[in-house]
Amino acid sequence: MADSWSGSGIDVHLDWRPETGRPGLADAVRAAVRSGRWPPGAAVPSTRALAADLGVARGTVTRVYADLAAEGYLHTLQGAPTRVATAGALPLSAPGPVPRELAPRWDLRPGRPDLTAFPRADWQAATRKALQRVAAADLGYTAELGAPELRAALAAYLSRSRGVLTDPQRIVVCCGFSHAVALISRVLCERGVTEMAFENPSLPLYREIAAANGQRIRPVDVDAHGLRVSELDSPAVVVTAAHQYPMGVALAPERRAALARWAGETGAVVVEDDYDGEFRFDRRPVGALQALAPEHVVYAGTASKTLAPALRLAWLVLPRALVEPVRAAMAGSGARPPLLDQLALAELISSGAHDRHVRRSRAGYRARRDRLLAALPGTVRPQGISAGLHLLLGLDRPGSPAEAEVLAACRRRAIGIEGLGPCWHGERGPGGVIAGYAAPAGHAFAGATQALVDALWEVTG
Ligand SMILES: Cc1ncc(COP(=O)(O)O)c(C=O)c1O
């Protein structure tokens, strides 16, 4: 008999057959402890409750518990509930704690916001409101394109803050930009499009996801004006128009116009990865490219930079012709962002708390950027400084240290930072180091900056 019992107030599961008697029951409890199903430190059911659940005499359970306590599986104490022995006392190894990814001592990894600034109180209030308002019927299998409340809030937000031309009907909420790339790649494949251009350099992850979903990847170079639009010759392209990742340049106005024109003329699909469009420091924000060609550009935004990557919330604004195919792909993937988080984000945006958080973050990141620039030695050339959460330290001058040397000096100081190398597609271009100045907690920013400066001085002499 394999069953669960909850009579004791806790749910337990034992693989026990009555015909195996007391020895069989002892084996079943040992197995539950060894497998971790009865975890170290957990209170076990009372002898009365377990006996009642199993339909055996209470004395049987009492003897089994006593035997297992003697063997070191259980811990009994007069007047207190019997518990599973803690790991050190167990005769056989029970599963240990799940290891966590350790942040580096000085965290300058690009693409990460200051997670200590996550607006916990606002999120909590938004979640509470969402829970109060959500209809029971909405807790069923959720809408494939996302919660209507969030799609409406995003339509208003994207239109006012990024100049996106949209209505809620063409918005789909997905689990991060990585999920978005997988969806779009698959949808395009089904429509006979099997080649996607990516900027060179660009983050390798999304090229890999597109390739894993059936796309052949074509690199197209980036220069000081962004993607070289005149070199495009693919039916689809992914572009970081507002702030090229990792070089940090904005796509020049004439190239934006040329890209929109090219898409209109050729029927190509442009995926605009607007990953950090909220963070522009020195000039007016560059509006979304999507507004120039809404039936050809898929606009993609994410909560990973404004709030936290762990939310896994991102959104696409689709050309009308792609709404149904993407809905079908969402249905096929089975993946949906959790509804309550979608509703909380909708509430955060509608209440104005999101805008306040973004404005605060923008001012804070801008101040960090200025402090980092002031501290850097003149031997490195910071690039892409006018926006975003990172800057690129170009190592392309004669006499510049090699990228590997800088990375090694950073590693010796326990600095988490990334090299430009892996972003090149095929042949490696000039060296560089990508420093994410948003990542450290406020109190660690000065230390992280100093550690980086020390590392740079070490290798530049
Ligand atoms: C270039 C670029 N695009 C998009 C994203 C956002 O990805 P996601 O929404 O999966 O967190 C990132 C995050 O690091 C990024 O660097």
Side-chain angles (χ1 to χ4, degrees):
M1 183 171 91
D3 212 342
S4 295
W5 294 274
S6 55
S8 58
I10 53 171
D11 253 339
V12 296
H13 168 89
L14 282 178
D15 287 322
W16 176 68
R17 290 172 199 285
E19 63 271 22
T20 62
R22 186 157 54 84
L25 180 57
D27 279 345
V29 175
R30 281 189 203 98
V33 172
R34 278 200 212 108
S35 69
R37 278 187 287 121
W38 288 26
V44 303
S46 70
T47 50
R48 187 183 312 119
L50 189 57
D53 282 339
L54 297 178
V56 300
R58 186 173 173 194
T60 305
V61 178
T62 307
R63 286 187 58 186
V64 166
Y65 278 9
D67 290 348
L68 294 184
E71 290 172 25
Y73 284 90
L74 300 182
H75 184 68
T76 52
L77 205 65
Q78 194 74 44
T82 298
R83 293 183 180 274
V84 178
T86 45
L90 285 178
L92 285 175
S93 65
V98 180
R100 286 170 184 277
E101 188 197 342
L102 284 180
R105 172 78 182 88
W106 303 117
D107 194 354
L108 291 173
R109 291 173 296 173
R112 290 165 166 78
D114 175 2
L115 298 175
T116 65
F118 182 79
R120 289 177 190 239
D122 289 338
W123 187 262
Q124 200 170 26
T127 303
R128 197 177 322 114
K129 277 228 171 95
L131 269 170
Q132 279 161 357
R133 288 183 190 159
V134 66
D138 290 341
L139 294 172
Y141 290 96
T142 49
E144 278 136 3
L145 292 172
E149 293 86 343
L150 179 56
R151 292 162 67 208
L154 283 170
Y157 167 68
L158 294 174
S159 144
R160 95 178 124 72
S161 74
R162 303 293 301 123
V164 175
L165 287 183
T166 187
D167 52 62
Q169 283 71 37
R170 35 166 99 199
I171 293 183
V172 54
V173 185
C174 53
C175 310
F177 183 65
S178 356
H179 183 211
V181 172
L183 285 171
I184 295 165
S185 305
R186 221 170 306 143
V187 163
L188 291 180
C189 237
E190 280 160 14
R191 296 161 79 85
V193 171
T194 53
E195 182 183 291
M196 285 174 95
F198 276 77
E199 294 164 312
N200 189 28
S202 60
L203 209 60
L205 175 66
Y206 306 121
R207 304 194 299 246
E208 288 159 12
I209 292 175
N213 284 280
Q215 296 293 334
R216 205 167 45 250
I217 307 302
R218 278 275 292 271
V220 175
D221 286 347
V222 166
D223 62 23
H225 305 287
L227 178 75
R228 289 196 186 153
V229 173
S230 60
E231 293 176 12
L232 282 171
D233 186 23
S234 301
V237 58
V238 178
V239 59
T240 45
H243 187 225
Q244 204 277 331
Y245 191 91
M247 304 304 278
V249 295
L251 190 63
E254 58 281 6
R255 292 214 184 154
R256 289 160 62 89
L259 182 54
R261 206 168 41 244
W262 169 81
E265 284 166 9
T266 61
V269 174
V270 177
V271 180
E272 179 179 18
D273 174 11
D274 196 36
Y275 63 106
D276 66 3
E278 286 86 354
F279 299 113
R280 175 153 287 275
F281 307 128
D282 303 322
R283 294 192 268 134
R284 274 168 43 77
V286 182
L289 167 74
Q290 183 264 4
L292 302 183
E295 299 307 335
H296 299 281
V297 177
V298 175
Y299 172 90
T302 176
S304 292
K305 317 294 155 184
T306 46
L307 291 167
L311 290 177
R312 303 318 298 141
L313 280 172
W315 40 89
L316 297 176
V317 179
L318 295 163
R320 290 210 190 279
L322 289 182
V323 173
E324 175 47 30
V326 168
R327 189 208 56 76
M330 282 290 283
S333 81
R336 311 264 193 294
L339 176 81
L340 291 175
D341 287 351
Q342 294 189 51
L343 295 179
L345 179 58
E347 173 58 31
L348 201 74
I349 293 172
S350 313
S351 69
H354 180 268
D355 278 38
R356 283 195 297 280
H357 173 68
V358 168
R359 269 202 303 278
R360 242 186 344 259
S361 307
R362 190 187 296 125
Y365 295 151
R366 181 191 169 139
R368 287 178 181 214
R369 190 257 337 233
D370 293 346
R371 283 169 64 190
L372 178 58
L373 286 176
L376 286 172
T379 41
V380 291
R381 193 163 69 87
Q383 298 170 51
I385 60 173
S386 61
L389 312 185
H390 74 274
L391 53 76
L392 175 71
L393 301 176
L395 301 172
D396 50 351
R397 285 186 183 158
S400 290
E403 183 178 309
E405 267 185 89
V406 179
L407 292 177
C410 287
R411 260 196 309 277
R412 284 194 289 280
R413 288 171 173 76
I415 304 171
I417 203 163
E418 284 173 21
L420 178 57
C423 294
W424 295 107
H425 187 118
E427 200 184 316
R428 277 201 172 202
V433 171
I434 312 165
Y437 48 80
H443 65 82
F445 178 71
T449 302
Q450 191 54 51
L452 175 60
V453 169
D454 290 347
L456 291 169
W457 277 117
E458 180 194 319
V459 292
T460 54

